Amino acid sequence: MAEQLIKHRLVFILPYLNVNTTSSERFKSFIIAAESREDTEVEVITFDYGVSHSFFKGLSFDNVDRFEPKKHKVLKPKLNSLQKLAFSALNKGSKLWRVLQLCHLLIYGRDVFYPGSLFNYFEKGNQPTTIICSGSHFSFFDCAYQLAITYGFTLVLDYRDPWTFGYTAIDGFAFVQKLKVWYGRKKELKFLQKAQLVSTVSQSLKDFFPKHLRQKVEIVPNGSNFKEGDIRPNPLPKTFNIVFAGTLYQEQLSEPVFFEALQRFLKDKERQQIKVQFVGAGNSPALKVISEKYGLSDVVQTTPRLLMKDFLTYMNQASVFLHLRFPSKKGVIGSKYLEYLNFHKAILLPQSDEGDIAQAIGRDKAGFVCSGADDTLVALNKLWERFITKDSLTWENEVSAESAITRDEIARSFIAKVMAV
């Protein structure tokens, strides 16, 4: 009688799953790749903090393309009083949320998402086990570390953003980053030393880690959320649609270069033919202010996070895709770049980041890397000329092997590396 196969157990500890974000799509791809293996038993742990949406990022937990792993535990953490206040503020769109998050860090040495010990919810089991934990929220790393140390599990840490090694969080404050370093650097080093494998999304972010630990850091980039059958770009859209997809951060609006160029671009145009669509950006007060300042409120549109089928409509009808840099950061390319690339329209970067975004656009011959409002105006007028003469707006980019890899391929490769540790 053949021996029964003892499956390796992979346990994912994740902040969320059913939210329309790139990070959620990354998690789903990892889970699907793991569940497809016959030698693997997959468990997924996520957390319910009683938050239904985020006013700051336009996220909703209702209007989403839902995904359910085969084995999924949703835990309701026992929150302390400060956490309860913080999540209540987040749900109401109050900026008190940031203050309470900072207070929690100062008092408890952990971010407000810390769910407490997971031992009461966790069965050790008899088979070999690997914990895969993704940040940020980096307090989850603490939970995963505790389990790995106690039970001798393999530990894999997946970084999407830097923690204490790297830049200040997007739209964050420098003094808060200093506090994170003060409170978290020793912890992070301890977790990194314990981890058998660490992953991050780009070479730029890998280079932030200490040199003596980089040999265990693998680059696992974000891929496009769309499959080939979803991509049906219209070469001759009825209106000239400038599309920005996904989360819009206040830091990206700190430079008015694009809006200055757009104001000038519109002077001799029929404005009803032009739309600037911030798709999935949600309610952005900063965008409203800058649109009003430059007299653009009639052409600038925003939407909340959308279901994939609705999001696809905007992507397929785009005339040009807008990329905005983070002025203080060169290593943030964002997953939207690969999504833009696959829809074969020009990508417009109004101000070069002199880093990952500019390098990628140049490498793939994907559009325009500009050095200010004058360059941006020239690029917009070139594309407008093609629009009004009904010349195809399809952009003949030269996609590199690095950019062509799909999210599914990335996930399968990552899980194979996890299993080989």
Side-chain angles (χ1 to χ4, degrees), residues 197-208:
L197 178 67
V198 178
S199 56
T200 192
V201 297
S202 70
Q203 182 65 49
S204 295
L205 297 192
K206 178 176 178 176
D207 290 343
F208 284 131

PDB file of all heavy atoms in Angstrom, residues 197-208:
ATOM      1  N   LEU A 197      13.469  33.313   3.993  1.00  0.00           N
ATOM      2  CA  LEU A 197      13.308  33.956   2.683  1.00  0.00           C
ATOM      3  C   LEU A 197      12.590  35.282   2.892  1.00  0.00           C
ATOM      4  O   LEU A 197      11.648  35.377   3.683  1.00  0.00           O
ATOM      5  CB  LEU A 197      12.492  33.062   1.739  1.00  0.00           C
ATOM      6  CG  LEU A 197      12.196  33.603   0.338  1.00  0.00           C
ATOM      7  CD1 LEU A 197      13.483  33.715  -0.479  1.00  0.00           C
ATOM      8  CD2 LEU A 197      11.207  32.693  -0.397  1.00  0.00           C
ATOM      9  N   VAL A 198      13.043  36.302   2.179  1.00  0.00           N
ATOM     10  CA  VAL A 198      12.423  37.623   2.213  1.00  0.00           C
ATOM     11  C   VAL A 198      12.149  38.025   0.767  1.00  0.00           C
ATOM     12  O   VAL A 198      12.991  37.799  -0.110  1.00  0.00           O
ATOM     13  CB  VAL A 198      13.334  38.666   2.895  1.00  0.00           C
ATOM     14  CG1 VAL A 198      12.695  40.051   2.870  1.00  0.00           C
ATOM     15  CG2 VAL A 198      13.667  38.245   4.318  1.00  0.00           C
ATOM     16  N   SER A 199      10.993  38.601   0.504  1.00  0.00           N
ATOM     17  CA  SER A 199      10.689  39.052  -0.855  1.00  0.00           C
ATOM     18  C   SER A 199      10.319  40.521  -0.844  1.00  0.00           C
ATOM     19  O   SER A 199       9.763  41.033   0.132  1.00  0.00           O
ATOM     20  CB  SER A 199       9.545  38.230  -1.459  1.00  0.00           C
ATOM     21  OG  SER A 199       8.388  38.284  -0.642  1.00  0.00           O
ATOM     22  N   THR A 200      10.634  41.197  -1.946  1.00  0.00           N
ATOM     23  CA  THR A 200      10.223  42.592  -2.121  1.00  0.00           C
ATOM     24  C   THR A 200      10.014  42.831  -3.603  1.00  0.00           C
ATOM     25  O   THR A 200      10.361  41.982  -4.432  1.00  0.00           O
ATOM     26  CB  THR A 200      11.251  43.561  -1.520  1.00  0.00           C
ATOM     27  OG1 THR A 200      10.683  44.868  -1.455  1.00  0.00           O
ATOM     28  CG2 THR A 200      12.530  43.604  -2.333  1.00  0.00           C
ATOM     29  N   VAL A 201       9.453  44.009  -3.972  1.00  0.00           N
ATOM     30  CA  VAL A 201       8.915  44.147  -5.318  1.00  0.00           C
ATOM     31  C   VAL A 201       9.891  44.688  -6.363  1.00  0.00           C
ATOM     32  O   VAL A 201       9.590  44.651  -7.547  1.00  0.00           O
ATOM     33  CB  VAL A 201       7.652  45.036  -5.300  1.00  0.00           C
ATOM     34  CG1 VAL A 201       6.558  44.401  -4.471  1.00  0.00           C
ATOM     35  CG2 VAL A 201       7.968  46.431  -4.786  1.00  0.00           C
ATOM     36  N   SER A 202      11.042  45.207  -5.947  1.00  0.00           N
ATOM     37  CA  SER A 202      11.963  45.777  -6.935  1.00  0.00           C
ATOM     38  C   SER A 202      13.392  45.757  -6.418  1.00  0.00           C
ATOM     39  O   SER A 202      13.637  45.613  -5.215  1.00  0.00           O
ATOM     40  CB  SER A 202      11.566  47.224  -7.266  1.00  0.00           C
ATOM     41  OG  SER A 202      11.833  48.080  -6.163  1.00  0.00           O
ATOM     42  N   GLN A 203      14.334  45.935  -7.347  1.00  0.00           N
ATOM     43  CA  GLN A 203      15.746  46.004  -6.979  1.00  0.00           C
ATOM     44  C   GLN A 203      16.005  47.211  -6.090  1.00  0.00           C
ATOM     45  O   GLN A 203      16.809  47.143  -5.146  1.00  0.00           O
ATOM     46  CB  GLN A 203      16.617  46.090  -8.233  1.00  0.00           C
ATOM     47  CG  GLN A 203      18.110  46.111  -7.961  1.00  0.00           C
ATOM     48  CD  GLN A 203      18.609  44.827  -7.334  1.00  0.00           C
ATOM     49  OE1 GLN A 203      18.313  43.732  -7.808  1.00  0.00           O
ATOM     50  NE2 GLN A 203      19.365  44.925  -6.242  1.00  0.00           N
ATOM     51  N   SER A 204      15.325  48.312  -6.363  1.00  0.00           N
ATOM     52  CA  SER A 204      15.514  49.524  -5.551  1.00  0.00           C
ATOM     53  C   SER A 204      15.177  49.257  -4.089  1.00  0.00           C
ATOM     54  O   SER A 204      15.885  49.711  -3.184  1.00  0.00           O
ATOM     55  CB  SER A 204      14.641  50.662  -6.085  1.00  0.00           C
ATOM     56  OG  SER A 204      15.053  51.039  -7.375  1.00  0.00           O
ATOM     57  N   LEU A 205      14.084  48.536  -3.858  1.00  0.00           N
ATOM     58  CA  LEU A 205      13.696  48.239  -2.476  1.00  0.00           C
ATOM     59  C   LEU A 205      14.612  47.179  -1.865  1.00  0.00           C
ATOM     60  O   LEU A 205      14.912  47.232  -0.670  1.00  0.00           O
ATOM     61  CB  LEU A 205      12.240  47.780  -2.420  1.00  0.00           C
ATOM     62  CG  LEU A 205      11.193  48.804  -2.861  1.00  0.00           C
ATOM     63  CD1 LEU A 205       9.789  48.332  -2.479  1.00  0.00           C
ATOM     64  CD2 LEU A 205      11.446  50.173  -2.259  1.00  0.00           C
ATOM     65  N   LYS A 206      15.083  46.242  -2.664  1.00  0.00           N
ATOM     66  CA  LYS A 206      16.032  45.254  -2.154  1.00  0.00           C
ATOM     67  C   LYS A 206      17.304  45.935  -1.653  1.00  0.00           C
ATOM     68  O   LYS A 206      17.879  45.542  -0.629  1.00  0.00           O
ATOM     69  CB  LYS A 206      16.383  44.237  -3.235  1.00  0.00           C
ATOM     70  CG  LYS A 206      17.409  43.198  -2.798  1.00  0.00           C
ATOM     71  CD  LYS A 206      17.656  42.140  -3.866  1.00  0.00           C
ATOM     72  CE  LYS A 206      18.719  41.144  -3.421  1.00  0.00           C
ATOM     73  NZ  LYS A 206      18.922  40.046  -4.399  1.00  0.00           N
ATOM     74  N   ASP A 207      17.725  46.970  -2.364  1.00  0.00           N
ATOM     75  CA  ASP A 207      18.968  47.656  -2.001  1.00  0.00           C
ATOM     76  C   ASP A 207      18.883  48.405  -0.676  1.00  0.00           C
ATOM     77  O   ASP A 207      19.915  48.799  -0.120  1.00  0.00           O
ATOM     78  CB  ASP A 207      19.368  48.634  -3.116  1.00  0.00           C
ATOM     79  CG  ASP A 207      19.834  47.916  -4.377  1.00  0.00           C
ATOM     80  OD1 ASP A 207      20.149  46.713  -4.296  1.00  0.00           O
ATOM     81  OD2 ASP A 207      19.858  48.560  -5.441  1.00  0.00           O
ATOM     82  N   PHE A 208      17.675  48.602  -0.153  1.00  0.00           N
ATOM     83  CA  PHE A 208      17.526  49.240   1.153  1.00  0.00           C
ATOM     84  C   PHE A 208      17.927  48.307   2.299  1.00  0.00           C
ATOM     85  O   PHE A 208      18.308  48.766   3.376  1.00  0.00           O
ATOM     86  CB  PHE A 208      16.077  49.690   1.387  1.00  0.00           C
ATOM     87  CG  PHE A 208      15.686  50.932   0.634  1.00  0.00           C
ATOM     88  CD1 PHE A 208      14.519  50.969  -0.106  1.00  0.00           C
ATOM     89  CD2 PHE A 208      16.483  52.071   0.673  1.00  0.00           C
ATOM     90  CE1 PHE A 208      14.138  52.105  -0.784  1.00  0.00           C
ATOM     91  CE2 PHE A 208      16.118  53.219  -0.013  1.00  0.00           C
ATOM     92  CZ  PHE A 208      14.934  53.233  -0.740  1.00  0.00           C
TER      93      PHE A 208
END
